[in-house]
Amino acid sequence: MSAFDPLHPEVRKALKELGLSEPTAAQAAAMPAIGSGENTLLVAPTGIGKTEAAVLPILDKLVRERPQGVALLYITPLRALNRDMLRRMQWFGEKLGISVGVRHGDTSQSERLAQARKPPQFLITTPETLQVMFTGKHLRAALSKVKWVIVDEIHELAGDERGAQMAVGLERLVDLAGEFQRIGLSATVGAPREVADFLGGVGRKVGIVKISLPKGMRISVVTPTITEKDREEAVRLHTEPGTAAAMRVCKSYVEKKRSTLFFVNTRDTAEYLAMRFALMDPELKIGVHHGSLSKHARMEMEEDFKAERLRALICTSSLELGIDVGATDFAIQYGSPREAARLIQRIGRAGHTMLKVSEGVIVSSGHDDVMESAVICRRALAAQIEAVRGRDRPLSVLANQVSALAVTDPYSQPEKLYKALVRSRPFRDMNWDEFDAMVKFLDQLRTVMVFEGKLKKSLRTLEHYFENISMIPDEKTYKVVDITTRKPVGTLDEAFVANFSDQRMPFVVKGKPWHIVEVEGDKILVEPVTQIGVVPNWVGEEIPVPFEVAQEIGKLRKRQNWNEYNLSEESLRQARERLDEQAKKGMPVPDDSHIIIEEEDNVLVIHACFGTKVNETLGRILSALLAAKRGDSIGLYVDPCRIVLESARRLSASECRAILDELRPEAVESLSKLAARRSTTFRWRFVHAAKKFGVLRRDADYRRLNLDALLEAYENTPLMEEAVAKTLWDEMDVEKTAEIISAVKRGAIKVIEGHLSPLGREGLERRGDVVSPGRPSKAILDALRTRLESEEVALLCLNCKKARRMKVSQVKERVSCPYCRSVMVAALGPYELDKVELFKKKRLTAAEQKDVRRLAKNANLVKTYGRKAALVLAGRGIGPDKAGKILARIYVSEDEMLAKVLEAEIEYARTKRFWD
């Protein structure tokens, strides 16, 4: 019997109109279980009818039962998927007499009001909008009728805070509507049981229907050979010869195929390539699509690609999911995809039907990228997929849900939320004491109030809740608007705008160069230009390479079993060339069971095939311990197979090995927490958590905050705990690193010392974080004093407005103006001399008045502390407020004062690097 046979005759008639007479493998396997009311996770590759497998049995029940209110809630992670799903389901709705609606951030006010008056039976939404719906009286009544919930692309939610928020939201929905059937649709993932448990929560059985790759997949790794013409083209395109060669190869694929999706890993890479393809061949119609383009620009690209007005579309993960972009017959992955799951999802978009084989290539160059691509390609074809795991007990989500309960159900007992919370998978292990401590902390902050043991709204609760519905970290963005058409083009992060908005420098968005005309509030008005533009940077795009992939790279280096990997001739040559060079020099080849520490002057390269997160953890621990031991600052850079350490003085492999030998597995967690707090991104994560807890407003500017004071004030609180936990989870892997240290102790992983090798030299092309010593040495302080004393300072008299320049070493212990004898003299950097013009103006802007007050503070410091004030103010990024704190706290000891200047300079450098 066909899986379609039990369906209502009206549903079967609609399927016949679509030409669907037989179910696909996914539909045949999943529909009986879903139709019988079982909680089900359907795991299957793209393009084999997953959506219909979930929806058809529910449409059958809607036709038979004709329920009132929202009976089916369909949740997707993206608004674009919502739009696509609405278009597909409205056809069924019209044929079957079922009302279908969509509700998300783009839904008009009139549509929202209509839904509140008459809720659709089939509602498509996002996790965030579900949270908002709990707050409306009419919508809560509509949600109380829910019988079925389908979560599409659930693998995208199971590993992050958005998913944790949704999981708790589903339990709150149970309190409102009673138990309902849960259906999850997932791409191919490793450990599907984890995703099923996430869908079901605690105590519910969820069946798994898993479909393998029935239609087949062809993927290979190709590497271009650089020609003389590529070198000439690289000069014209303002790029590297290797990039020009890779673009040539990609262009040839695009020209041979009808429709190509061209995947890259980051938005800046998408813009960089789109700009240069337009220069390479203006006739080649290639578009660009990513999350920082405007909705209008994205939809325009999707429609142009679907209508085949574009031959190719350069895109990021924005098109990984099931958004309909029409027939696609080929997929290009530019560079390593970093994960097998990502590669399967991307290549699977080509031949997006049951009958077609998905075909694509990874265009790779350089030994590291080729090896990584080769391993990921093999793992994808063998369906060895990474597991999806989420962080347990994310306190930012808990803060959000406590506020939610205070808003939606005031004067309720906190126990009500606790019971719902612990039914969800992410919070299953949270005990009452942890929960109660968090509620009391939020009460202290007045984010919510606890009155006679019951939750109620404070004056801030409502605003805080709606400002922080989304668990995605806030980064202030500016809307880019084309002044010639008044159409939105995309968005830019605040950091990029701060660096470039005052310069006559073109930048690239939508694959085209633009010139900033004016900044109006949160809008940037731009005009098109023809010069090469600067590519913006956007926050949070690096994809970590998993431990398993890095281990296989090590095994491939050792075994060199090349016949098991789909490599082109040039890819194989580049992969083997560096290994052969290593062997010819008699140097050991780094593999999965050895740590090789190579030294060269002030640099150490530690070969460790443990993946991005383990190497980040181990690297931060080693650099912090070395910095503390030596009193030096240690530069740190990691990749999936290396850790690079750099110092101003010589580093020895034996010194590093001694620290590694002394390291105990049980110490890894505590050391990692200390290292996490010194990360350049820790403060940003702390600010994000502070917003979610209600300590800061959503629009608080990172750079205007006194973070030192905030960090000190919230030491040993749930807020600090959350910021550290989030940093550890996103950037590090404590558990796996402890296992590695245990393996070193047992001798299962051998440690070897040596000198810089060809493979080691590849790791020296980039540099990264600076880890400061806990207590700077006397040598460092003396060097800092010498540098500060040689700095040039401008002494500006606030009385007679005259200025003179000199070195800090020439400034007298007591400072006064030689012209008028006034002691109100400000010490400024030479670049600030234009501030004297402020005193010639009759009317000052608010910003200029602020500058005048700053000069007065500066002069008061010089009046009080004399030459010492000039010494401190000469420090980079140290204004009068920071200088005042340094001078007031440590007036006696100059060494202690210099140590604080060093600390402030390092923090300034970190912040500047983060925002740059």
Side-chain angles (χ1 to χ4, degrees), residues 160-177:
D160 62 19
E161 282 79 12
R162 289 184 76 204
Q165 182 193 47
M166 184 194 72
V168 179
L170 292 181
E171 298 306 329
R172 291 171 60 204
L173 186 58
V174 169
D175 290 342
L176 193 63

Side-chain angles (χ1 to χ4, degrees), residues 15 41-42 51 136 144 196 198 231 283 335 345 366 554 629 649 713 726:
L15 290 172
L41 173 68
L42 173 55
T51 302
S144 69
F198 167 77
R231 292 186 174 87
E283 299 301 313
Q345 192 81 349
K629 182 178 180 181
R649 294 188 292 137
K726 176 69 172 165

